[in-house]
Amino acid sequence: DAGITQSPRYKITETGRQVTLMCHQTWSHSYMFWYRQDLGHGLRLIYYSAAADITDKGEVPDGYVVSRSKTENFPLTLESATRSQTSVYFCASSVTTGGNHNEQFFGPGTRLTVL
Amino acid sequence: KNQVEQSPQSLIILEGKNCTLQCNYTVSPFSNLRWYKQDTGRGPVSLTIMTFSENTKSNGRYTATLDADTKQSSLHITASQLSDSASYICVVSSWANNFGNEKLTFGTGTRLTIIP
């Protein structure tokens, strides 16, 4: 099916473990984004990618690593999970940015709990 | 510091009634303003995108307004339906040299509940 998907949808892990959240889009969009959503905060940008092999930090990148070897995939890795990384993570994609109609399309989210 | 504030935080209305959600922002330089609908357990879905020169935009029963002078926006929902129960998020886009040339600042949302 076309669209943007995330896996897993739910994940429970322990402090110190490495966790990878997957994101896949079928539109061949150039830009992909990772956000986290926490109570009392708007979505905050973790990392983004303008194209395959091009990634850059967002507002809250500490403790996260990304890669983008293929246009359609943008995995997010927590190298050593901490309780403060308990959150709902959203992946998004867009054709480009910097214009008036560059809508970002969001995935369904991954709810991550770090014990 | 760029900020987007939404009010009210939550709202409960009867099915069939109208409602208006508010958004105030201090974001510069302004590029566009977006309203998203987020159902529980789902990702946000775009409702409208408005540029500086647009002061109203409709999408079915949703009508967004923008006053760039006062830096305020509203989202009006007409003849509400049970399926309108969701969080509505105001997002302001600003031009930036990083973040892919466009930085989005998200509000915390208004939680709308429609009761039969």
Side-chain angles (χ1 to χ4, degrees):
Chain A
D1 287 345
I4 183 166
T5 57
Q6 295 182 235
S7 62
R9 293 294 315 278
Y10 303 91
K11 177 74 176 178
I12 300 175
T13 190
E14 295 178 335
T15 302
R17 297 222 182 226
Q18 184 180 81
V19 177
T20 295
L21 310 183
M22 304 301 293
C23 178
H24 176 78
Q25 54 104 355
T26 61
W27 294 304
S28 298
H29 283 170
S30 298
Y31 279 82
M32 295 188 75
F33 309 85
W34 274 107
Y35 294 91
R36 60 179 290 172
Q37 186 175 39
D38 304 291
L39 276 175
H41 289 90
L43 275 78
R44 291 179 290 176
L45 182 65
I46 303 170
Y47 269 94
Y48 70 96
S49 169
D53 297 321
I54 301 175
T55 63
D56 209 344
K57 296 178 180 179
E59 303 169 78
V60 290
D62 293 344
Y64 303 95
V65 174
V66 294
S67 62
R68 194 161 176 215
S69 57
K70 293 184 177 181
T71 300
E72 60 266 30
N73 297 324
F74 191 37
L76 175 74
T77 298
L78 288 66
E79 294 186 299
S80 178
T82 65
R83 291 195 182 90
S84 64
Q85 293 177 310
T86 293
S87 186
V88 181
Y89 291 85
F90 288 99
C91 178
S93 72
S94 68
V95 173
T96 182
T97 66
N100 296 328
H101 297 286
N102 296 308
E103 180 179 349
Q104 288 192 17
F105 296 88
F106 286 82
T110 294
R111 181 174 293 275
L112 175 67
T113 302
V114 182
L115 302 177
Chain B
K1 179 183 177 184
N2 289 343
Q3 285 189 315
V4 175
E5 296 187 352
Q6 295 187 241
S7 61
Q9 281 190 322
S10 62
L11 182 63
I12 301 173
I13 64 171
L14 289 172
E15 184 180 11
K17 297 296 186 182
N18 303 335
C19 66
T20 300
L21 314 180
Q22 301 290 342
C23 173
N24 296 334
Y25 63 92
T26 54
V27 174
S28 181
F30 178 87
S31 174
N32 58 71
L33 185 144
R34 313 168 184 208
W35 282 94
Y36 281 86
K37 178 187 180 187
Q38 185 177 19
D39 292 315
T40 301
R42 313 279 298 263
V45 175
S46 179
L47 294 174
T48 63
I49 300 177
M50 288 186 293
T51 63
F52 183 88
S53 59
E54 296 174 299
N55 55 23
T56 187
K57 201 159 194 178
S58 292
N59 178 358
R61 293 179 297 101
Y62 300 100
T63 299
T65 64
L66 173 63
D67 185 335
D69 292 332
T70 62
K71 298 187 177 181
Q72 295 179 323
S73 176
S74 66
L75 180 69
H76 185 75
I77 304 174
T78 304
S80 61
Q81 300 176 358
L82 296 178
S83 59
D84 292 331
S85 293
S87 288
Y88 292 84
I89 302 172
C90 177
V91 184
V92 181
S93 169
S94 59
W95 297 103
N97 290 326
N98 49 12
F99 305 122
N101 298 322
E102 181 180 52
K103 184 181 187 301
L104 300 185
T105 303
F106 290 78
T108 54
T110 292
R111 177 71 201 173
L112 176 64
T113 303
I114 311 298
I115 57 176

